Amino acid sequence: MVAVIRVPKTKRARRELLKHAPKLVETGKKTLVLHGTKTSAVLNSVLSDIYHLKRDNAVKFTKKNDSIRPFESGGESSLEFFSLKTDCSLIVYGSHSKKRPNNLILGRTYDHHIYDLVEVGVENYKSMESYVYDKKLAPKLGSKPFFAFIGEHFESSEDLKHLKEVLLDLFRGEVVENLNLAGVDRIYVCTAISPTTVYMMHCALRLKRSGTPIPRMELVEVGPSMNLVVRRHRLPVESLKKEAMKTAEHAKKMKNVTKDPVQGKLGKVYMPDQQVGKLALSNDIKGLKRERREAKKNKEHSKKQKVNPE
């Protein structure tokens, strides 16, 4: 069966396609949360908590999906279809089996194709509901988090290096240039216990007076917390990685050019000294023709006065 490629015929359709296309400067990434054929109560709670943390920019599917096997050839086609349908570039997929209990797969896509995958097992899980704390300290929706990666294994172990990149992409939110300290009210603390195990906990930040302009911070654990044991991971294909790592080329700064909100683009032109006083003037200058004509008329008029004296 040959797939039919539909070309957009209206400007509105073209604009919609451009919104879904890869961008050199990325905006906020959406997350797709979905279940496998079989899940456990622990895994359902994990997926619900992840969706709660990212509910401002996430989509959650509640139905079970039978045909998704991300690490098998051809098994990722359903994920890529759902990524295209929901315009999500981050994927959280949960499944449960006897061989891999409480299995969680974290993945990223580029141009709605699977970029990389990390498979972890969830152990010693504590949900957000199991923590008792002052609800006024609960992190607000859309706030920016801190990240703390503790342990030398994040630098030496390839598995944890990859997991670190995926966790940063999953929970950091939209990249901003300027940040208000009041908008940072949470922190994710990831401790490398072994070359394949990470203890991850989510804490709220409490700001207190310190007698200086910089407040003193206290951590209040608000959940969830869990051990993530790396089981499998798949690195990106080199050609796809090269395409995804492209960055926007910064335009060269033009000298003597400024932009004004009212007048638009303005430029300054510097002219060297012409030294007009030292230029040699010839008789062929057009500006002198009028003077010659006037002088000739005056001369003829004076001759007529001499010939016809009164």
Side-chain angles (χ1 to χ4, degrees):
M1 184 178 179
V2 180
V4 179
I5 300 176
R6 295 184 179 180
V7 180
K9 297 181 180 180
T10 61
K11 291 184 178 180
R12 182 178 180 182
R14 294 191 191 100
R15 288 196 297 268
E16 288 298 323
L17 286 180
L18 287 175
K19 290 179 182 179
H20 297 282
K23 300 176 179 61
L24 289 176
V25 180
E26 292 183 342
T27 54
K29 297 182 180 181
K30 292 174 64 177
T31 304
L32 175 62
V33 181
L34 67 168
H35 300 74
T37 308
K38 184 180 179 182
T39 55
S40 62
V42 172
L43 203 57
N44 288 335
S45 182
V46 171
L47 294 176
S48 297
D49 284 351
I50 292 177
Y51 174 73
H52 181 77
L53 293 173
K54 294 182 62 63
R55 63 189 183 276
D56 59 330
N57 212 4
V59 178
K60 185 182 179 183
F61 288 175
T62 56
K63 291 184 179 181
K64 296 180 180 180
N65 300 276
D66 301 332
S67 59
I68 297 179
R69 295 176 180 84
F71 282 92
E72 298 179 9
S73 60
E76 71 275 4
S77 58
S78 296
L79 278 181
E80 293 176 350
F81 171 75
F82 290 142
S83 171
L84 176 62
K85 185 178 180 181
T86 58
D87 192 24
C88 293
S89 56
L90 297 169
I91 295 172
V92 179
Y93 173 74
S95 62
H96 178 75
S97 64
K98 186 176 180 180
K99 186 178 179 180
R100 294 187 176 90
N102 299 327
N103 202 48
L104 196 67
I105 296 178
L106 309 176
R108 297 181 289 181
T109 65
Y110 175 75
D111 197 14
H112 307 297
H113 296 287
I114 295 298
Y115 180 74
D116 60 352
L117 297 168
V118 179
E119 184 183 69
V120 295
V122 179
E123 297 178 357
N124 301 327
Y125 171 72
K126 291 184 179 180
S127 65
M128 299 176 69
E129 296 177 356
S130 62
Y131 287 90
V132 179
Y133 59 93
D134 187 2
K135 299 302 179 182
K136 294 180 180 179
L137 299 176
K140 298 178 182 178
L141 188 66
S143 60
K144 299 293 291 183
F146 281 121
F147 287 91
F149 292 94
I150 305 169
E152 60 182 7
H153 296 298
F154 283 113
E155 303 297 331
S156 59
S157 174
E158 293 297 327
D159 293 348
L160 296 194
K161 280 183 181 180
H162 192 192
L163 179 62
K164 176 182 176 181
E165 291 180 5
V166 176
L167 289 177
L168 280 172
D169 237 3
L170 180 63
F171 291 109
R172 71 178 179 178
E174 188 174 352
V175 179
V176 294
E177 295 182 359
N178 300 321
L179 190 63
N180 189 351
L181 187 60
V184 184
D185 58 358
R186 68 176 75 188
I187 181 171
Y188 293 97
V189 182
C190 302
T191 306
I193 301 174
S194 70
T196 58
T197 306
V198 173
Y199 173 66
M200 178 181 175
M201 64 177 180
H202 177 225
C203 301
L205 292 176
R206 177 186 293 175
L207 302 180
K208 290 193 171 184
R209 295 179 180 177
S210 62
T212 63
I214 301 176
R216 181 169 59 89
M217 293 186 179
E218 289 186 358
L219 302 185
V220 179
E221 196 168 355
V222 296
S225 65
M226 67 193 90
N227 285 351
L228 301 177
V229 183
V230 180
R231 292 172 177 167
R232 292 183 291 178
H233 72 111
R234 190 175 86 183
L235 295 173
V237 182
E238 194 62 33
S239 59
L240 188 62
K241 182 179 180 181
K242 186 177 180 180
E243 182 70 20
M245 295 297 286
K246 283 184 179 179
T247 56
E249 296 181 0
H250 296 285
K252 294 183 179 179
K253 187 177 181 181
M254 299 178 66
K255 293 183 178 180
N256 305 323
V257 176
T258 58
K259 289 185 178 181
D260 187 84
V262 178
Q263 298 178 347
K265 193 174 181 180
L266 301 176
K268 293 181 180 179
V269 179
Y270 291 90
M271 298 292 295
D273 188 7
Q274 298 291 317
Q275 297 181 353
V276 181
K278 296 181 180 180
L279 293 176
L281 300 178
S282 65
N283 294 329
D284 297 333
I285 299 176
K286 294 182 179 180
L288 298 178
K289 288 184 179 180
R290 183 177 179 182
E291 296 179 0
R292 291 198 200 106
R293 288 196 296 269
E294 292 178 354
K296 188 176 181 180
K297 288 181 180 180
N298 293 335
K299 188 176 181 181
E300 291 177 354
H301 183 68
S302 61
K303 284 183 179 180
K304 288 180 180 179
Q305 286 181 347
K306 290 181 181 178
V307 173
N308 303 317
E310 291 179 0

